[in-house]
Amino acid sequence: LYDLIEMFEFFAEATEEEFLAEIDTYMDMDVYIEYLAFCNILVNLDSFAGNGNNYYLYQDPESEQFMVIPWDLNEAFGRFGGLEESRTELGLYFEEYKMRQGGGQGGMKPPGGGGMMPPEGGMMGPPPEGGMMPPEDGVMPIKGNLEIADLFFQTAYAAATHSNHPRAELVQQQIVPQMDEQGKRKPRRNKGNQWPSAPVVFEEDMDLTEVSPLMAWVFNTEELNQQYLEAVASILEDEFEIDKMMDRSNEIIEFLTTENEERGFWTGKEYEQFVSSAEGLQSFVTKRHEHLWSLLREELQG
């Protein structure tokens, strides 16, 4: 984890000149910037670019650069985060989503609300008596102070021992024995991993810079922001080009409709919902193009 921690410290401490000169040592920014553009065009908010979810960081063993690998894209095309009525109008910098999630100036909270928020000091205390803690000798060697490790364990085990935490169920499934209806122990999730993933800790009034320093660098640095805008335009002109998207969606609609007639996957109301969703997808593509091109023209001319 040393390389990862060093990269996070670089994000937080570098000057603009240092960042532009040295970022390629840590991160494949071409991949990352194209990923941000992709998430924006598809309004893919259940992601790194939205709620900080559904991605892996992979370190290439040869270049030693980190890169983002996306997964779980079923909430793309504006299906996530309560944006149904205006999903095609998300701004180039995810502005409306940030405002809705935070309910205030640049704030951001977990979608759906609820859950346990950390105290004013920003750290959750140790779990109640009887809660699980890591062994005294630790499991994660960290150079220097142990604040990162402490945050990991305090948040992870608070989630495991507080039922109203947003990630409690997931963490408990990972580390607490689960029983089936016959009283037999279920196989543990992520059984190759002895420790749970640390849940995300959100602060009140957290702005984009605090949520993702890397996104802030891209959007607030002229050179990187220009690359991001060009990536949005490139995807709109190529992979997301209207005729190409319409042809592909029509192919899928025709295939599934034919299969349904032969095999009867859907009946009645289910089939009507499928047709409506397919038409909605095509409408999304058209409207998203119109909205983004108008924003791009303003940005690039400005």
Side-chain angles (χ1 to χ4, degrees):
L1 296 176
Y2 298 156
D3 290 347
L4 191 64
I5 294 168
E6 183 180 346
M7 180 174 72
F8 290 161
E9 291 175 343
F10 174 75
F11 291 163
E13 299 171 3
T15 64
E16 181 174 328
E17 183 178 356
E18 291 170 340
F19 189 89
L20 292 174
E22 300 176 32
I23 182 56
D24 288 339
T25 304
Y26 299 96
M27 191 90 182
D28 188 327
M29 289 300 286
D30 293 337
V31 168
Y32 176 70
I33 289 174
E34 188 166 348
Y35 168 73
L36 288 184
F38 164 86
C39 287
N40 184 275
I41 291 171
L42 269 65
V43 192
N44 179 40
L45 297 174
D46 194 14
S47 67
F48 179 105
N51 66 344
N53 203 13
N54 293 333
Y55 69 95
Y56 293 101
L57 275 180
Y58 172 73
Q59 187 178 31
D60 186 290
E62 294 185 4
S63 68
E64 297 188 353
Q65 288 179 311
F66 286 95
M67 66 179 67
V68 174
I69 299 178
W71 71 286
D72 194 5
L73 302 174
N74 68 306
E75 299 288 353
F77 300 104
R79 289 171 45 86
F80 182 77
L83 282 174
E84 285 295 324
E85 74 280 7
S86 61
R87 58 189 178 180
T88 59
E89 298 177 5
L90 181 74
L92 283 167
Y93 305 111
F94 304 88
E95 302 93 332
E96 295 85 355
Y97 179 67
K98 287 186 295 171
M99 292 300 294
R100 284 170 182 252
Q101 293 305 317
Q105 291 295 322
M108 188 171 184
K109 297 179 184 176
M116 182 177 68
M117 299 299 289
E120 291 182 4
M123 292 283 286
M124 293 182 180
E129 186 175 351
M132 298 178 64
M133 288 296 290
E136 291 184 5
D137 59 356
V139 295
M140 189 169 64
I142 303 291
K143 294 177 180 176
N145 67 53
L146 296 175
E147 289 184 357
I148 297 174
D150 287 344
L151 177 62
F152 175 92
F153 285 118
Q154 287 189 30
T155 57
Y157 286 96
T161 54
H162 291 77
S163 60
N164 66 334
H165 191 282
R167 298 283 181 96
E169 182 179 356
L170 171 61
V171 178
Q172 288 168 4
Q173 287 175 350
Q174 289 178 331
I175 66 173
V176 179
Q178 305 291 309
M179 303 299 176
D180 61 20
E181 295 177 356
Q182 287 74 40
K184 295 182 179 180
R185 184 168 177 166
K186 295 180 180 179
R188 185 162 58 85
R189 287 184 55 158
N190 296 348
K191 53 189 176 182
N193 180 9
Q194 294 297 315
W195 304 102
S197 301
V200 177
V201 178
F202 290 87
E203 301 276 4
E204 295 285 351
D205 298 322
M206 181 179 282
D207 65 22
L208 179 64
T209 304
E210 293 170 302
V211 173
S212 173
L214 189 54
M215 286 179 70
W217 275 113
V218 172
F219 295 156
N220 297 332
T221 306
E222 184 176 356
E223 179 179 327
L224 298 178
N225 187 60
Q226 182 70 21
Q227 185 178 345
Y228 167 73
L229 296 175
E230 291 172 356
V232 173
S234 176
I235 295 173
L236 288 173
E237 292 172 338
D238 190 358
E239 293 93 341
F240 202 71
E241 192 268 330
I242 290 182
D243 289 340
K244 187 181 293 186
M245 288 293 294
M246 293 301 173
D247 289 345
R248 182 58 178 151
S249 60
N250 283 330
E251 288 175 6
I252 295 171
I253 292 169
E254 182 179 357
F255 170 75
L256 292 176
T257 302
T258 302
E259 288 292 301
N260 190 57
E261 292 173 353
E262 295 180 359
R263 303 172 188 269
F265 290 125
W266 304 298
T267 58
K269 189 174 182 179
E270 290 178 337
Y271 182 70
E272 292 175 6
Q273 289 176 337
F274 161 69
V275 173
S276 175
S277 296
E279 293 171 348
L281 171 62
Q282 294 186 337
S283 174
F284 173 92
V285 171
T286 302
K287 291 180 179 178
R288 193 73 183 128
H289 259 271
E290 293 173 354
H291 184 67
L292 285 177
W293 278 121
S294 67
L295 296 179
L296 282 169
R297 280 192 289 271
E298 292 178 9
E299 283 283 327
L300 297 175
Q301 290 173 1

